[in-house]
Amino acid sequence: IFRAGIIGCGLRRRADGSTGFGQGHVHALGYETSPDCEIVAAADIKQENLDAFCEEHDIPNKYLDYNEMLAQEALDIVIVTSENAQHPDIVEACAAVGTHVCVEKPMAAAKR
């Protein structure tokens, strides 16, 4: 079974004033359908979003720092659904520990 982690949980689903929810939920729902994958950890910079996400998707390990998650968990794949500007640093950190990465587009924002 592949061990997966998600970086970027997004807003709580059905939150007051919310018009949608974070892409992390979309990916979690997809990975949850696979008998070959288990989401074992998630990271987000906002405790409220992290707690709600992990509760909804029954994810046992929560991190406010994705670097800590990468160091503590032996992940086979990391799903990156954080804000676009964070993508390059997160993907490089994942590569440094040798995990596969699925990253929401774009990989990096264009500089002007």
Side-chain angles (χ1 to χ4, degrees), residues 64-101:
L64 290 170
D65 181 338
Y66 68 84
N67 288 299
E68 183 181 348
M69 180 180 83
L70 294 172
Q72 296 293 320
E73 305 289 336
L75 300 172
D76 298 301
I77 187 167
V78 170
I79 302 96
V80 181
T81 62
S82 64
E83 294 192 14
N84 297 341
Q86 300 168 342
H87 290 179
D89 291 339
I90 295 171
V91 171
E92 287 178 12
C94 291
V97 298
T99 187
H100 295 277
V101 181

Side-chain angles (χ1 to χ4, degrees):
I1 292 182
F2 294 106
R3 292 172 50 84
I6 295 181
I7 299 174
C9 299
L11 295 173
R12 175 183 212 118
R13 294 204 310 158
R14 295 178 285 286
D16 289 342
S18 173
T19 59
F21 58 92
Q23 283 299 106
H25 290 282
V26 174
H27 286 274
L29 293 170
Y31 280 83
E32 288 167 357
T33 65
S34 172
D36 299 321
C37 186
E38 179 182 8
I39 304 170
V40 298
D44 196 280
I45 59 172
K46 295 183 180 176
Q47 186 74 58
E48 178 182 337
N49 293 351
L50 179 62
D51 290 342
F53 186 84
C54 289
E55 180 180 328
E56 179 171 344
H57 298 286
D58 197 27
I59 299 171
N61 302 303
K62 302 185 278 187
Y63 297 89
L64 290 170
D65 181 338
Y66 68 84
N67 288 299
E68 183 181 348
M69 180 180 83
L70 294 172
Q72 296 293 320
E73 305 289 336
L75 300 172
D76 298 301
I77 187 167
V78 170
I79 302 96
V80 181
T81 62
S82 64
E83 294 192 14
N84 297 341
Q86 300 168 342
H87 290 179
D89 291 339
I90 295 171
V91 171
E92 287 178 12
C94 291
V97 298
T99 187
H100 295 277
V101 181
C102 170
V103 63
E104 271 290 310
K105 62 181 190 283
M107 171 54 193
K111 292 185 179 183
R112 295 183 180 219

